[in-house]
Amino acid sequence: MNNIEILRLLLISGGLIFFVYAMITKRISTLIALPLMGALTALIASVGEIPMLGLFAHENAEGETVQGIMNAVFGDGARMMASTIAASIFGGAFAVLLRRVGIAEAIIKKAAELAGDRIRVIAFIFYVATMVIFSAIGGLGAVILIGSVALPIMMTAGISGVVAGAIILLGLTTGGVMNPAGFAFFATILAPVIDGGYEAAYEIVARMAITLFIISMLVSIAYIMLNVKNSQRSAWHARKTQPAYELSNWALIAPIVPVALVLSSIYILPQVITAELAIIVGIAYTVYVCKIKDKINAIAQSFVQGTQEVAGAIVLLIGLGILIRGVQFYTVTPIIAPAIEVLVSMLQSPMTYVIASH
């Protein structure tokens, strides 16, 4: 690397560190910082190197016409996460529908009824119930909903507040690993570097999620066994309440329908089912098994409200796409690639391992 490239690398690193610090200290919103980081990275690498600051289409060193920052970074970056954005919208609608018909609460209360007064069984059943729910839905609203129902029941049963909260978080993590919308997010990021594109990346992510799911479940089981004593007896008894709609036992498996479809498509069916299609089937199944009078209107309202709930996440995904495209811009790669190679070689060094382990 020559002196100019080293200077560009330092400026890019300094800019990224500045924005990260500003986000951590809440001096700038993440929604604004991510696209600015991508644009600034591409701009620093292009100034003085290509005409018009690299903002517009131009010819590269080989005489080929290439897109500038406006199109390659902002345009392509905004569209990069299109699959993930679509999955987020469908997932948001599914989450709203599950809350509207009362399936999430019904699962928690059904779990309480099955557990009876055995405190460790209560902990395990609530962990599994939370895991099932968060394999389909997510977001702060869902966490508040589940927490407001499950935490008082577990604490009344004799489980400490800290342990009860940890059980909810472990269930959230384990279930979240298997959320099809998460598959779409990571597949979109990995698609450019994996042969076969998005579909191959999606299948790899789904298979990897199974391993992470098993590890997370084993850790969670160990935590519950160590922190919840079975010698106690709970004085709490489940109280039956009327859900928003009349629900059958078939309705309680609605949250895992999309997950089951994705996994069965990987191991049984000849073609992988995408997250969007799996969630659509989950919505259709939920509407069918629940006795909702105006099904079409319920679906429409779920999509409107679900889109509103994930609007912030959509803007965040657009900014993330711009950041990724900014780092991948053709003038940036020759500058950061040598630094990454040096960093990787340092991390692979036995001396680095010895120092880190101490």
Side-chain angles (χ1 to χ4, degrees):
M1 296 179 67
N2 55 42
N3 293 336
I4 296 298
E5 290 178 335
I6 293 174
L7 177 60
R8 292 181 192 276
L9 177 62
L10 292 175
L11 289 174
I12 290 173
S13 302
L16 295 177
I17 292 171
F18 168 78
F19 278 109
V20 170
Y21 174 78
M23 286 187 289
I24 292 174
T25 57
K26 300 188 183 302
R27 296 170 186 259
I28 185 172
S29 170
T30 305
L31 303 179
I32 303 298
L34 291 179
L36 287 179
M37 290 166 72
L40 183 64
T41 299
L43 195 62
I44 291 173
S46 303
V47 171
E49 190 75 18
I50 51 181
M52 297 181 290
L53 305 177
L55 293 174
F56 306 101
H58 54 274
E59 292 185 354
N60 59 15
E62 287 76 26
E64 301 171 342
T65 301
V66 295
Q67 296 296 327
I69 294 174
M70 298 301 292
N71 284 333
V73 177
F74 285 102
D76 292 348
R79 294 187 294 268
M80 179 183 179
M81 294 291 183
S83 297
T84 309
I85 290 172
S88 298
I89 292 173
F90 287 118
F94 191 32
V96 169
L97 185 62
L98 291 178
R99 294 204 305 267
R100 179 176 179 175
V101 300
I103 288 179
E105 286 184 287
I107 291 174
I108 291 297
K109 290 173 181 176
K110 186 71 172 179
E113 292 173 12
L114 293 174
D117 61 354
R118 294 162 293 177
I119 187 168
R120 186 173 284 172
V121 175
I122 290 175
F124 275 116
I125 289 184
F126 273 100
Y127 165 72
V128 173
T130 306
M131 177 183 67
V132 170
I133 291 168
F134 281 97
S135 68
I137 66 177
L140 180 60
V143 175
I144 294 173
L145 171 66
I146 303 306
S148 62
V149 176
L151 287 177
I153 295 175
M154 285 193 283
M155 292 172 68
T156 304
I159 301 173
S160 71
V162 173
V163 175
I167 291 170
I168 296 296
L169 292 176
L170 288 170
L172 186 156
T173 303
T174 309
V177 167
M178 300 304 296
N179 195 314
F183 297 173
F185 173 76
F186 290 107
T188 303
I189 294 178
L190 295 174
V193 296
I194 291 180
D195 295 335
Y198 178 83
E199 289 187 1
Y202 187 88
E203 184 173 348
I204 290 172
V205 170
R207 290 180 183 275
M208 187 180 299
I210 296 174
T211 303
L212 295 175
F213 173 80
I214 294 172
I215 294 172
S216 180
M217 178 175 280
L218 291 175
V219 171
S220 302
I221 291 172
Y223 179 86
I224 293 173
M225 293 295 292
L226 291 172
N227 291 277
V228 179
K229 305 302 180 184
N230 209 27
S231 56
Q232 294 176 273
R233 286 283 175 176
S234 169
W236 182 86
H237 295 281
R239 297 182 300 274
K240 292 187 177 181
T241 57
Q242 188 68 26
Y245 292 87
E246 186 176 344
L247 301 176
S248 65
N249 289 333
W250 289 106
L252 302 183
I253 66 171
I256 64 172
V257 168
V259 180
L261 276 176
V262 171
L263 296 181
S264 64
S265 71
I266 292 174
Y267 291 102
I268 301 173
L269 301 178
Q271 185 174 358
V272 176
I273 296 177
T274 62
E276 298 88 340
L277 179 57
I279 295 171
I280 289 174
V281 174
I283 291 173
Y285 175 86
T286 303
V287 171
Y288 177 76
V289 298
C290 297
K291 295 184 178 180
I292 302 175
K293 293 181 180 179
D294 191 352
K295 293 179 171 57
I296 300 300
N297 190 44
I299 294 174
Q301 290 181 356
S302 297
F303 269 97
V304 171
Q305 187 178 343
T307 304
Q308 292 173 345
E309 291 188 1
V310 300
I314 290 173
V315 177
L316 190 66
L317 289 170
I318 292 173
L320 182 60
I322 293 173
L323 172 59
I324 293 172
R325 288 303 187 204
V327 175
Q328 292 175 345
F329 196 58
Y330 81 98
T331 57
V332 177
T333 305
I335 295 174
I336 65 174
I340 293 175
E341 291 176 1
V342 171
L343 181 62
V344 170
S345 64
M346 289 176 60
L347 293 175
Q348 293 176 340
S349 168
M351 184 61 68
T352 305
Y353 173 79
V354 172
I355 294 173
S357 62
H358 287 77

